[in-house]
Amino acid sequence: MLHLNRIVLSTCLVVFALVVQICVLARLQLPGAVPDLLLLVVLGLALVYGHTGGALIGFGAGLLADFAPPADHAAGRYALVLCVIGYLAGLAKPESGQLRSATGPMLVVVAAAIGATLLYAGVGILVGDDAARQVGLGKLLFTAALYDLLLAPFTVPLIMGLARRSENDPMADSAGGGESPSRWISTAGGVSTGRIGRMSRLRRPGRAPRIGSQRGGLLARTGKNRTARIKGVKRL
C-alpha cells in the first residue's frame, strides 16, 4: 500500500508539472532557459523517498517529457538526465527525515539546475545536437539556476509535505516535519511553534489557582503556627 501511494502521488505530480511547464512556463518567453518545474518535482520527491525512488521517478518523468510534444530531441535524453539528478538528490535526504534548515535543499536545487543543464548539453553533443552552443551555455546555466531557485520555495516544500503525508509519516504533522514556503523564503528563526505551545500550556489559567491555593495554604499554616506560639507565650 505504501508503494502504491508513492506511485499514484508521483504520477499525478509529474503529469501536472509537465502540463504546467509546457502550457504555461514554456510560453512566458523568458530569456535563456525555461523554469524546470518537472525537475523541482523530482527533487522534492527524491528528498523524501531517497536515491532509489528519486532515480525511478526521475527516469519516468524524463521519459514522459521526451515523448511529450513539442519535444524535438532524442528519446531517452531527458530521462537519463533526470534519472541521474534524482539519484544524486536522493543521497541528500536527511537521515532523521527532518530538515534543519532550508540552506541544504536550496543548494541541492542550484546544483541540480546546473548539473541537469550541463548533462543535457553534454548528451546533446554526443548525439550531434549543438543547440546549447548556439544559445550560449553560460547564459543557460545562469538563467536555469536563477529561475529554479526562485520557483523552488513555492513548490519543493509543498511536494515534500504531500509525499510525507501520503506515507502517513509522523514527521508531516510535527512542527519541523511539515515544510512551509515561508521557512524556505526566510530561514531566520524566531520562537518555534513547539516552544510557544509549551509556554502556552504553562500559562494556562487552569494551573494558576493550584499554585495560588498551595501558597495560600502555606501562608495559612504559617499564620496559625505563629498565632499558636504567641498565645503560648502569653499563657506563660
Side-chain angles (χ1 to χ4, degrees):
M1 190 65 178
L2 183 62
H3 297 286
L4 181 61
N5 290 339
R6 289 187 178 186
I7 294 173
V8 173
L9 179 64
S10 302
T11 303
C12 294
L13 290 176
V14 166
V15 172
F16 176 78
L18 184 61
V19 172
V20 173
Q21 185 165 335
I22 294 175
C23 299
V24 179
L25 298 179
R27 298 184 179 182
L28 294 178
Q29 301 298 326
L30 296 174
V34 176
D36 200 341
L37 183 60
L38 196 62
L39 174 65
L40 297 179
V41 169
V42 173
L43 293 179
L45 295 176
L47 289 174
V48 177
Y49 296 152
H51 58 279
T52 303
L56 294 176
I57 295 171
F59 179 79
L63 194 63
L64 187 62
D66 287 331
F67 289 102
D72 55 353
H73 56 268
R77 181 177 172 183
Y78 203 49
L80 174 62
V81 172
L82 288 187
C83 180
V84 175
I85 295 299
Y87 178 84
L88 295 177
L91 296 177
K93 173 187 176 182
E95 296 180 358
S96 61
Q98 181 178 356
L99 297 177
R100 297 181 179 179
S101 67
T103 305
M106 295 299 278
L107 293 178
V108 171
V109 171
V110 175
I114 296 175
T117 304
L118 289 175
L119 187 57
Y120 186 84
V123 176
I125 294 174
L126 293 177
V127 298
D129 184 6
D130 58 348
R133 293 181 179 179
Q134 298 176 2
V135 177
L137 185 58
K139 182 179 180 180
L140 285 177
L141 292 175
F142 176 76
T143 53
L146 179 62
Y147 296 155
D148 292 347
L149 188 62
L150 293 176
L151 191 59
F154 304 99
T155 55
V156 178
L158 299 178
I159 294 169
M160 295 177 65
L162 290 175
R164 284 171 176 166
R165 290 182 181 179
S166 67
E167 292 189 322
N168 296 324
D169 190 351
M171 288 289 182
D173 298 328
S174 63
E179 304 300 326
S180 61
S182 59
R183 183 184 176 189
W184 284 55
I185 297 173
S186 175
T187 57
V191 181
S192 64
T193 306
R195 293 180 181 177
I196 295 176
R198 288 193 293 268
M199 292 172 63
S200 62
R201 286 195 297 268
L202 290 175
R203 296 177 181 177
R204 285 187 305 178
R207 295 192 177 185
R210 296 182 181 179
I211 298 174
S213 61
Q214 291 178 359
R215 291 181 179 177
L218 291 175
L219 292 175
R221 293 178 183 177
T222 305
K224 289 181 180 179
N225 293 334
R226 289 181 181 178
T227 304
R229 291 178 185 177
I230 293 172
K231 289 181 178 180
V233 172
K234 286 181 179 180
R235 282 195 296 269
L236 290 175

